[in-house]
């Protein structure tokens, strides 16, 4: 079947459809094909065009319907089975997709695109090691058949990326861009494989504002950059609290300033990276995201910035402060700053998905449900990994280990660990809600076990957050009795006012806080016996001889 065999009407329509699709007007192109199908309902070329356009517009159900119509009209047409396989895989029917693509390969063993699709199908779900090996072989076969085809290079790059070979995938994308510098899919793939690679997305969306994958990827990268300041503040602030609990003591002379220097380096490097990421982000899209998120998004971003500034002040204070009371204030400042930054991230992270749904990036369709299902799997893995962090910090707090510093700071670190976990739990909650309320939610609706895990995670965040918040040392405590953590340079080693190099814990013989009743006692009288010492003549023992005991000697006098 060739275009030359088509009628004049079909040839004209398909030419216009190709032009419309090239300029990003896929909806108009599809409408034209659908209108023509009313006059030519059994034309396989029009049905193939409709299926291909629906796949590009993420209308998976319609694409499958048109592809199956082509199979009914021309069962030996290999490309019809290929399009059906793509649509079935998008719907989550891996078994049906595999059957369709194998039928395509049986009809045309040298179809490079079919080999690429076969690799996608083999990696669907939870592939085994043998499936991964077969997928790599199928992708390699497609490259052998069409080494200069940009689409084949794109598919091979995506397969390599799924197999964990990011560098190899990036190399294939760059090869494809050498052949087709303006290929939208390759530019999107480059942005996906390159950190902060939003620059290439601007050109794609300028040419085709309806490019779904480019819009979704840009949306994710922009919101992740908006969370950058909060992410740095929570991590460094929590680490600062743990280090205070480990080294802030009289024995830790020099440890606290040294740790503070390391923390300042981490904080500055992380802040600079977050700021650069925001500067590289598309400014129009960033402003659009703030407008779409409304006041909650702007307030959340302000909280992350305030938390970052507070953590920076606390870390700088640890470098110079030696007084125990001032150190307690720094612990409070670090804990409050981490709480602010974590609260901001807990608002921003779920807003990524909620605002994306409002902007049509997560459509209420099977394709949108598949995207949300993929996001849910990613978020659940993040919750599991961060749950381990919370458990480790909780063990440290309960066991008071290491107990060489301020244990009240260790307790406050539990709040920081909770703020590390809460954004992922909030995102999970938002995704579950979107899947339940969508019209196609039945295919990916959360099961009972998933709901139980989500509720358990939320309860954990709530309980650990309350415990950590209560443990923040806002009021005076026993550590205030230290007075100083570092012995004065001019004090004697046995000066009790210097705490004598004591470990963590109050020094009872130093500054007694007002209002503390220190018990006293009077020592009982002791009767000391007396006795008379006899007189002893010590003259014989006098080492100085008497004057008459020294013989007179004539001293000769000489005169000149």
């Amino acid at each position: 079947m060739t275009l030359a065999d088509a009628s004049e009407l079909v040839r004209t329509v398909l030419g216009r459809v190709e032009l419309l699709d090239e300029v990003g007007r896929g909806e108009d192109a599809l409408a034209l094909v659908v209108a023509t199908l009313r006059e030519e309902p059994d034309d396989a070329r029009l049905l193939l065009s409709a299926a291909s356009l629906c796949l590009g517009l993420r209308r998976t159900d319609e694409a499958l319907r048109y592809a199956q119509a082509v199979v009914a009209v021309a069962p030996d047409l290999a490309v019809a089975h290929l399009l059906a396989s793509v649509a079935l895989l998008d719907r989550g029917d891996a078994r049906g997709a595999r059957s369709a693509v194998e039928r395509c390969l049986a009809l045309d063993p040298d179809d490079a695109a079919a080999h690429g699709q076969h690799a996608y199908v083999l990696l669907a779900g939870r592939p085994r090691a043998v499936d991964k090996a077969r997928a790599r072989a199928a992708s390699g076969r497609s490259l052998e058949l069409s080494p200069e085809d940009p689409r084949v290079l794109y598919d091979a790059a995506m397969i390599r990326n799924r197999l964990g070979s990011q560098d190899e995938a990036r190399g294939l994308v760059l090869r494809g861009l050498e052949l087709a510098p303006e290929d939208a899919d390759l530019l999107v793939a480059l942005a996906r494989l390159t950190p902060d690679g939003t620059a290439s997305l601007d050109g794609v969306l300028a040419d085709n504002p309806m490019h779904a994958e480019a819009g979704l990827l840009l949306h994710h990268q922009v919101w992740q950059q908006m969370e950058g300041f909060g992410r740095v503040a929570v991590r460094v602030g929590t680490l600062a609290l743990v280090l205070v609990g480990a080294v802030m003591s009289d024995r830790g002379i020099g440890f606290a300033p040294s740790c503070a220097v390391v923390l300042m380096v981490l904080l500055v490097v992380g802040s600079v990276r977050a700021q650069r990421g925001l500067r590289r982000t598309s400014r129009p899209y960033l402003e659009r995201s703030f407008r779409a998120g409304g006041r909650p998004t702007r307030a959340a971003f302000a909280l992350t910035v305030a938390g970052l500034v507070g953590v920076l002040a606390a870390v700088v204070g640890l470098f110079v402060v030696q007084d125990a009371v001032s150190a307690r204030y720094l612990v409070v400042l670090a804990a409050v700053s981490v709480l602010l930054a974590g609260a901001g991230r807990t608002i921003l992270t779920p807003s990524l998905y909620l605002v994306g749904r409002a902007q049509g990036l997560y459509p209420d369709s099977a394709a949108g449900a598949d995207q949300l299902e993929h996001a849910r799997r990613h978020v659940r893995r993040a919750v599991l990994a961060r749950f381990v962090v919370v458990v480790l910090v909780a063990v440290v707090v309960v066991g008071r280990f290491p107990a060489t510093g301020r244990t009240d700071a260790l307790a406050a670190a539990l709040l920081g660990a909770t703020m590390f976990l809460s954004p992922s739990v909030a995102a999970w909650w938002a995704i579950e809600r979107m899947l339940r309320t969508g019209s196609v939610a039945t295919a990916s609706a959360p099961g009972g076990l998933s709901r139980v895990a989500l509720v358990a995670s939320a309860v954990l965040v709530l309980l650990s957050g309350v415990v950590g918040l209560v443990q923040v040392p806002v009021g005076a405590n026993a550590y205030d009795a230290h007075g100083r953590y570092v012995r004065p340079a001019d004090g004697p080693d046995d000066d009790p006012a210097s705490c004598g190099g004591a470990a963590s814990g109050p020094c009872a013989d130093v500054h007694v806080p007002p209002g503390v009743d220190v018990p006293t006692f009077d020592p009982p009288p002791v009767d000391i016996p007396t006795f008379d010492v006899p007189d002893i003549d010590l003259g014989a023992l006098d080492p100085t001889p008497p004057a008459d005991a020294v013989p007179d000697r004539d001293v000769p006098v000489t005169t000149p």
Side-chain angles (χ1 to χ4, degrees):
M1 183 183 65
T2 63
L3 189 60
D5 300 332
S7 64
E8 183 66 25
L9 174 62
V10 172
R11 288 199 300 270
T12 303
V13 168
L14 292 179
R16 292 183 60 187
V17 166
E18 183 178 359
L19 293 176
L20 289 171
D21 191 33
E22 288 180 355
V23 297
R25 295 174 60 184
E27 293 283 356
D28 295 337
L30 180 60
L32 180 58
V33 172
V34 171
T36 310
L37 280 171
R38 296 190 183 98
E39 301 181 17
E40 301 280 349
D42 295 330
D43 190 275
R45 303 166 192 79
L46 290 175
L47 292 171
L48 283 175
S49 179
S52 179
L53 289 170
C54 286
L55 286 174
L57 295 171
R58 293 188 176 275
R59 297 185 182 182
T60 308
D61 294 337
E62 296 178 46
L64 179 59
R65 187 171 64 253
Y66 286 120
Q68 290 174 341
V70 179
V71 172
V73 173
D76 294 334
L77 191 60
V79 66
H81 296 280
L82 176 61
L83 293 177
S85 175
V86 174
L88 288 168
L89 187 60
D90 285 347
R91 293 185 62 187
D93 186 0
R95 181 176 298 180
R98 184 169 184 170
S99 176
V101 73
E102 287 177 353
R103 175 60 179 164
C104 175
L105 288 172
L107 293 171
D108 188 0
D110 294 332
D111 189 338
H115 284 285
Q117 174 63 15
H118 193 205
Y120 281 122
V121 171
L122 290 170
L123 294 180
R126 297 180 179 178
R128 301 168 298 173
V130 62
D131 295 326
K132 294 180 180 180
R134 293 182 62 191
R136 180 177 286 275
S139 177
R141 176 57 178 164
S142 68
L143 284 173
E144 292 177 4
L145 292 170
S146 298
E148 303 297 326
D149 187 340
R151 182 63 198 183
V152 170
L153 290 169
Y154 169 82
D155 289 335
M158 294 299 98
I159 295 299
R160 297 301 192 279
N161 185 42
R162 293 189 184 186
L163 292 173
S165 303
Q166 282 78 17
D167 292 338
E168 189 177 358
R170 191 179 300 109
L172 291 170
V173 170
L174 293 175
R175 275 178 55 190
L177 287 174
E178 291 177 358
L179 299 171
E182 297 182 358
D183 187 277
D185 291 335
L186 289 171
L187 290 172
V188 172
L190 181 63
R192 186 183 298 277
L193 296 170
T194 305
D196 301 331
T198 59
S200 60
L201 297 177
D202 293 337
V204 175
L205 292 172
D207 295 336
N208 183 7
M210 301 304 295
H211 196 289
E213 187 177 1
L216 184 60
L217 182 58
L218 179 61
H219 177 74
H220 272 262
Q221 291 186 352
V222 167
W223 281 78
Q224 288 173 359
Q225 297 301 337
M226 289 166 61
E227 295 181 35
F229 291 130
R231 187 163 48 246
V232 173
V234 170
R235 292 178 180 178
V236 178
T238 304
L239 182 59
L241 291 171
V242 173
L243 290 177
V244 168
V247 305
M248 181 66 80
S249 66
D250 296 315
R251 290 182 178 179
I253 298 176
F255 285 148
S258 301
C259 292
V261 171
V262 175
L263 291 173
M264 281 190 284
V265 171
L266 294 175
L267 198 60
V268 169
V269 171
S271 301
V272 169
R273 286 182 176 178
Q275 191 266 346
R276 286 181 177 177
L278 278 177
R279 290 185 60 185
R280 294 173 182 173
T281 301
S282 172
R283 188 173 183 83
Y285 197 89
L286 183 63
E287 295 175 353
R288 175 186 170 189
S289 298
F290 275 116
R291 289 195 302 270
R295 290 183 179 179
T297 298
R298 292 191 291 269
F301 183 76
L303 286 177
T304 61
V305 175
L308 180 65
V309 173
V311 170
L312 178 60
V315 170
V316 172
L318 291 176
F319 182 75
V320 297
V321 166
Q322 295 179 349
D323 180 70
V325 178
S326 299
R328 177 169 60 81
Y329 291 150
L330 290 179
V331 170
V332 174
L333 175 60
V336 172
S337 300
V338 168
L339 177 63
L340 292 176
R345 289 196 63 211
T346 305
I347 297 173
L348 287 175
T349 305
S351 297
L352 182 154
Y353 301 99
L354 297 174
V355 174
R357 165 61 68 86
Q359 293 179 343
L361 298 174
Y362 292 103
D364 189 10
S365 62
D370 290 342
Q371 292 170 350
L372 288 175
E373 176 62 27
H374 177 75
R376 181 172 61 176
R377 289 195 297 266
H378 174 76
V379 168
R380 282 191 300 204
R381 287 194 296 267
V383 168
L384 179 60
R386 298 181 182 193
F387 171 78
V388 174
V389 175
V390 174
V391 171
L392 291 176
V393 175
V395 170
V396 169
V397 171
V398 174
R400 302 293 182 181
F401 175 82
T404 57
R406 293 189 63 120
T407 54
D408 55 351
L410 283 178
L414 182 60
L415 179 63
T418 303
M419 292 297 101
F420 185 61
L421 173 63
S422 61
S424 297
V425 175
W428 187 4
W429 194 283
I431 293 172
E432 297 279 5
R433 179 184 175 186
M434 293 165 64
L435 286 172
R436 286 197 303 269
T437 57
S439 61
V440 291
T442 54
S444 302
L449 183 60
S450 178
R451 293 181 181 179
V452 170
L454 175 58
V455 172
S457 301
V459 171
L460 172 67
V461 167
L462 182 61
L463 291 179
S464 60
V466 170
V467 172
L469 188 61
V470 171
Q471 294 294 327
V472 176
V474 177
N477 58 19
Y479 289 93
D480 292 357
H482 268 319
R484 283 184 178 274
Y485 283 101
V486 180
R487 183 180 305 160
D490 55 352
D493 290 343
D494 57 352
D495 182 6
S498 66
C499 292
S504 64
C507 293
D509 56 347
V510 192
H511 312 284
V512 179
V516 177
D517 185 14
V518 180
T520 60
F521 66 94
D522 296 327
V526 180
D527 186 12
I528 302 176
T530 61
F531 60 92
D532 296 331
V533 180
D535 294 335
I536 300 176
D537 184 9
L538 300 177
L541 301 176
D542 190 357
T544 304
D548 55 1
V550 180
D552 294 334
R553 293 183 180 180
D554 294 334
V555 180
V557 178
T558 59
T559 58

